[in-house]
């Protein structure tokens, strides 16, 4: 998990990792494909139905039809949403849309998932469902997830954490220690 105040550079770092932006200095090595989940679930699903949206992400791979179908099914099974395959996107909840975006990355066989405040617009139940889901995917599929958040309770699901300030990593390590540090900091401000 990646934490830091507004403007500390979290989104910039994620954009550099996806190749959307190039770094002004230093070197970065990322093995594509990389999956990206945005803060607003309405900004990333482009097709009318769930199945079509995931298939759309595979267009460039020019797969035989049967294999494409299989990849879509496999990805939806991974996020427990196979039953929504024919559902129109507009009929999904925010949390379901985020899970469909993650399924899109799984279908493309992404090993790395970058999530930029993916729970910011979700209610508390869908928020923790989504974090738990990503934690399961990391464990069961050996994926790596880099998750940006403001919500300290999400640190309970992390294997490690980084704190950014003005573009620099100022602390890193055990998530529960960082959580303590940030809670204390918030207490000092009040
Ligand atoms: N393409 C860019 N070129 C130069 N500066 C940028 C660019 N994009 C964002 N910034 C600046 O970098 C800083 C970090 O922004 P951002 O990564 O969006 O922060 P965060 O996601 O942590 O809130 C901000 O001061 C922002 O104005
Ligand atoms: Mg940001």
């Amino acid at each position: 998990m990646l934490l830091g105040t507004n403007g500390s550079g979290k989104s910039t770092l994620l954009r550099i990792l996806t190749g959307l932006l190039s770094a002004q200095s230093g070197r970065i090595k990322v093995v594509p494909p990389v999956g990206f989940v945005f803060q607003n679930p309405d900004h990333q699903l482009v097709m009318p139905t769930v199945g079509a949206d995931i298939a759309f992400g595979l267009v460039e791979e020019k797969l035989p039809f049967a294999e494409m179908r299989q990849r879509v099914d496999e990805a939806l099974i991974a996020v427990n949403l196979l039953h929504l395959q024919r559902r129109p996107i507009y009929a999904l909840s925010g949390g379901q849309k985020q899970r469909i975006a993650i399924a899109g990355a799984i279908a493309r066989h992404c090993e790395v998932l970058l999530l930029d405040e993916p729970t910011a617009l979700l209610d508390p139940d869908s928020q923790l469902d989504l974090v738990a889901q990503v934690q399961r995917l990391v464990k069961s599929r050996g994926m790596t997830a880099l998750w940006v958040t403001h919500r300290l309770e999400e640190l309970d699901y992390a294997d490690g954490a980084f704190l950014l300030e003005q573009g620099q990593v100022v602390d890193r390590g055990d998530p529960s220690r960082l959580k303590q540090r940030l809670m204390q900091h918030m207490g000092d401000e009040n």
Side-chain angles (χ1 to χ4, degrees), residues 4-13 15 21 24 116-117:
T5 50
N6 267 331
S8 58
K10 305 180 298 293
S11 297
T12 301
L13 177 59
R15 282 189 209 112
L21 208 61
Q24 287 168 319
D116 197 352
E117 301 193 47

Side-chain angles (χ1 to χ4, degrees), residues 17 26 36 40 55 75 109 133 144 167 190:
L17 288 170
F36 202 107
N40 188 334
H109 289 173
Q133 180 102 60
T144 299
N190 290 331

Side-chain angles (χ1 to χ4, degrees), residues 12-23 26-36 108-114 144 146:
T12 301
L13 177 59
L14 259 52
R15 282 189 209 112
I16 291 172
L17 288 170
T18 55
L20 286 168
L21 208 61
S22 52
R27 281 193 335 139
I28 200 147
K29 187 180 170 196
V30 184
V31 181
V34 172
F36 202 107
R108 291 191 296 119
H109 289 173
C110 296
E111 288 175 26
V112 175
L113 201 52
L114 305 174
T144 299
L146 183 59

Side-chain angles (χ1 to χ4, degrees), residues 26-96:
R27 281 193 335 139
I28 200 147
K29 187 180 170 196
V30 184
V31 181
V34 172
F36 202 107
V37 180
F38 299 100
Q39 180 180 101
N40 188 334
D42 290 323
H43 287 173
Q44 55 202 338
L45 305 178
V46 295
M47 296 297 278
T49 66
V50 166
D53 193 88
I54 297 174
F56 182 70
L58 297 170
V59 165
E60 281 181 15
E61 299 190 34
K62 298 190 170 71
L63 303 170
F65 185 72
E67 194 181 335
M68 188 193 69
R69 284 290 301 269
Q70 198 189 340
R71 291 256 213 122
V72 172
D73 286 357
E74 176 203 62
L76 283 170
I77 290 167
V79 296
N80 297 322
L81 290 181
L82 186 61
H83 60 292
L84 297 185
Q85 171 122 238
R86 294 173 207 287
R87 188 74 58 93
I89 297 293
Y90 68 78
L92 302 176
S93 71
Q96 287 169 338

